[in-house]
Amino acid sequence: GSIGANAYDVMAWMSYLESVDDALDSLHDGLSSMESLSISNTAGASADARTISVDTAGRTLHISRVMAPGITHTPKSLGKEIGKLISVRIWVGERAVSLLPGSYKLWRFHLIFLGGLLEKKQSSGAAGESLGAVGKQFRKECHRLRISSYLLSVDVALDDVENGKDAHNIANNNNKSSQLKSQSTKQSQSQTGKNRTANQLYHKILQTYERSLIRLHKMPKLWLMYAAFVALHDPSRDPTAVRRIYDRALVALPASQHDRVWEEYLSWVTGILPGTSSDVIANAEENGN
């Protein structure tokens, strides 16, 4: 289509990626609305009959808890479709930056999308948690770490809905204590699996940042994004990993751009490492900043 004829046009790729993001937003909103209905409605029969329609990408989807004539998706099947579309979005982003590796716009758009996925996976809420709740948690963490939230702003509505669970589709069980014990075990195993998946995604995003810096190592904002990402999401919370990124940025960038790095660097150090902040401040003063 249009991308085939404009494979080296940055704006064509941006438009394509934004159209996929719009479709994800619509599907996510539909799933969230369906889950809200299921949770708030106590009348089982009428809850089953509720239908939500979503218009996206030239299609009209009809979502209900149970399949019936005219129904195109259940919450579970819609969750799977969202998961597939997320995979497509990642593939398209990788294709774009592979063809145009010198485009800061494409790398930033791709990295922010991946960071949004990780933010949702690492959030403690359930799959149906609203993006607003995740966004508030994200901003609170940025404030705590003294990181500029604009560097990693999550503008895309995503949900970790790979399993697409229906919260009300649980069979009655006479032995409630046994059921609760089984659920507790499954939740523990599920949380362990989510943590493992989040860690794998985290390391893949690190590799993506490193690939972006091969061509764009003179872009200060990309270095700042990288440092902020590691400070927020590093599973080990190792400050040395963040410090090394800032130090690499100072080596890679010309002295005329060091002010931008030192501003974020010092803000992070004074907030997280107050005991050693004097060392970094002294280093900045020696460099004339």
Side-chain angles (χ1 to χ4, degrees):
S2 59
I3 291 298
N6 302 279
Y8 297 96
D9 184 342
V10 172
M11 297 313 298
W13 282 107
M14 290 289 291
S15 178
Y16 189 11
L17 291 168
E18 287 172 354
S19 67
V20 178
D21 291 344
D22 289 342
L24 279 170
D25 286 342
S26 298
L27 294 178
H28 173 268
D29 290 344
L31 183 61
S32 297
S33 298
M34 195 69 240
E35 289 176 344
S36 298
L37 280 178
S38 299
I39 293 172
S40 62
N41 199 316
T42 56
S46 59
D48 287 343
R50 290 294 183 91
T51 301
I52 292 177
S53 297
V54 176
D55 294 320
T56 181
R59 296 188 302 162
T60 300
L61 310 182
H62 302 288
I63 311 162
S64 181
R65 287 182 55 203
V66 295
M67 288 301 295
I71 301 300
T72 60
H73 291 78
T74 62
K76 183 175 182 178
S77 64
L78 184 60
K80 290 182 178 179
E81 182 159 335
I82 292 175
K84 291 178 181 178
L85 189 55
I86 288 174
S87 297
V88 169
R89 172 61 172 78
I90 294 173
W91 183 88
V92 173
E94 285 289 335
R95 179 65 173 164
V97 298
S98 67
L99 287 173
L100 295 161
S103 171
Y104 167 73
K105 285 184 178 181
L106 288 176
W107 276 112
R108 183 178 184 276
F109 206 46
H110 186 46
L111 288 165
I112 286 180
F113 180 86
L114 294 176
L117 281 178
L118 184 61
E119 180 69 28
K120 183 58 185 178
K121 286 181 181 294
Q122 288 183 335
S123 69
S124 58
E129 184 180 33
S130 69
L131 251 286
V134 175
K136 289 178 182 178
Q137 185 178 5
F138 169 78
R139 289 189 294 272
K140 184 178 180 181
E141 187 70 3
C142 284
H143 179 73
R144 185 182 72 81
L145 297 174
R146 297 195 180 186
I147 292 172
S148 299
S149 60
Y150 78 90
L151 291 169
L152 299 172
S153 59
V154 183
D155 298 322
V156 182
L158 298 172
D159 200 17
D160 184 18
V161 290
E162 288 145 349
N163 294 323
K165 293 181 180 179
D166 182 354
H168 291 276
N169 192 22
I170 301 174
N172 290 327
N173 192 325
N174 292 329
N175 190 344
K176 292 186 178 181
S177 62
S178 175
Q179 184 184 28
L180 290 173
K181 182 178 179 180
S182 175
Q183 287 178 347
S184 177
T185 302
K186 288 180 179 179
Q187 287 175 355
S188 177
Q189 293 173 345
S190 175
Q191 188 62 41
T192 301
K194 286 183 178 180
N195 290 339
R196 187 182 302 113
T197 301
N199 287 343
Q200 291 173 348
L201 179 57
Y202 170 77
H203 288 291
K204 287 182 179 179
I205 298 175
L206 289 188
Q207 294 172 5
T208 306
Y209 269 105
E210 291 292 340
R211 286 191 289 118
S212 71
L213 289 167
I214 292 174
R215 291 285 297 271
L216 300 175
H217 57 280
K218 298 298 183 184
M219 297 291 295
K221 194 169 181 181
L222 198 57
W223 283 106
L224 296 178
M225 285 176 60
Y226 192 6
F229 172 79
V230 174
L232 280 170
H233 299 296
D234 181 16
S236 63
R237 299 297 181 188
D238 181 10
T240 302
V242 183
R243 178 180 59 78
R244 285 174 176 167
I245 294 172
Y246 281 122
D247 290 345
R248 286 172 60 195
L250 292 170
V251 171
L253 296 169
S256 60
Q257 294 183 331
H258 283 191
D259 287 348
R260 299 183 66 182
V261 178
W262 280 119
E263 182 179 357
E264 296 291 339
Y265 197 174
L266 295 175
S267 177
W268 170 74
V269 169
T270 54
I272 303 305
L273 303 173
T276 60
S277 60
S278 58
D279 297 336
V280 176
I281 294 173
N283 191 10
E285 291 175 347
E286 288 176 5
N287 284 273
N289 296 288

